[in-house]
């Protein structure tokens, strides 16, 4: 998550009550630092965190823009976000994802359903067929849409 100010340009939100740099899509859970996400014992990470540029319209760096975080949330729910900043766009966000794999008896198991790893400090989900895309929002980590 970032906000635009005429003097500082784009930067992490810094006003009281705003969502912090990393949050879920709704801004309910937020942190100023990228959180460490622990997987259950029968999962392992397959890759490092990366910016998800395919889940919604975004610019080359993965940012989606809107006038407010509330309007951006609504646009994301409709799949209609903007990847180009307009004159009055003062907020932007992007999503981080990471792939995990459920280990089977032969360490090659898979899952084909959504697995929710929500806790009191994070709301993240893992999706997958053979492996799971674990997402965070941005600037991004927590996202309730697969991060």
């Amino acid at each position: 998550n970032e906000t635009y100010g005429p003097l500082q340009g784009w930067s992490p939100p810094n006003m009281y009550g705003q969502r912090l740099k990393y949050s879920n899509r709704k801004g309910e859970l937020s942190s100023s630092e990228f959180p460490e996400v622990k997987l259950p014992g029968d999962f392992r990470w397959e890759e490092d965190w990366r910016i998800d540029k395919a889940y919604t319209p975004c610019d080359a760096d993965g940012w989606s823009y809107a006038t407010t975080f509330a309007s951006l949330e609504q646009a994301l729910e409709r799949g209609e976000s903007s990847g180009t900043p307009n004159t009055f766009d003062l907020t932007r966000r992007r999503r981080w994802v990471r792939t995990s794999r459920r280990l089977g008896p032969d360490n090659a198991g898979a899952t084909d359903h959504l697995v929710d790893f929500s806790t009191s400090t994070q709301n993240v989900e893992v999706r997958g067929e053979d492996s799971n895309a674990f997402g965070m929002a941005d600037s991004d980590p927590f996202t309730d849409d697969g991060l």
Side-chain angles (χ1 to χ4, degrees):
N1 300 312
E2 291 190 345
T3 56
Y4 183 81
L7 299 177
Q8 74 269 19
W10 290 104
S11 64
N14 57 10
M15 294 182 65
Y16 178 77
Q18 283 186 326
R19 60 180 72 192
L20 299 175
K21 184 175 181 181
Y22 301 99
S23 72
N24 66 3
R25 182 176 60 204
K26 295 183 179 193
E28 296 164 342
L29 304 170
S30 64
S31 172
S32 59
E33 297 184 22
F34 201 98
E36 179 182 340
V37 177
K38 297 182 190 232
L39 293 174
D42 58 341
F43 280 83
R44 68 177 163 87
W45 293 117
E46 292 285 304
E47 63 180 7
D48 290 330
W49 289 103
R50 62 184 164 76
I51 297 168
D52 183 358
K53 298 178 184 177
Y55 84 107
T56 191
C58 58
D59 67 13
D61 294 320
W63 294 104
S64 293
Y65 300 84
T67 54
T68 65
F69 284 118
S71 62
L72 182 53
E73 178 186 331
Q74 292 170 355
L76 290 169
E77 287 175 1
R78 294 188 309 268
E80 300 173 355
S81 64
S82 172
T84 306
N86 295 313
T87 304
F88 299 107
D89 287 343
L90 301 176
T91 61
R92 69 181 185 175
R93 93 180 280 284
R94 60 185 174 179
R95 184 169 85 160
W96 293 84
V97 294
R98 190 176 190 186
T99 302
S100 68
R101 179 174 304 276
R102 174 173 266 163
L103 302 175
D106 60 358
N107 287 340
T111 184
D112 60 359
H113 61 282
L114 186 66
V115 179
D116 185 356
F117 293 111
S118 299
T119 70
S120 61
T121 60
Q122 60 197 24
N123 183 17
V124 290
E125 296 174 344
V126 176
R127 298 177 184 245
E129 292 173 12
D130 259 2
S131 61
N132 298 305
F134 185 84
M136 301 273 225
D138 195 355
S139 285
D140 296 20
F142 325 107
T143 245
D144 53 356
D145 183 37
L147 290 196

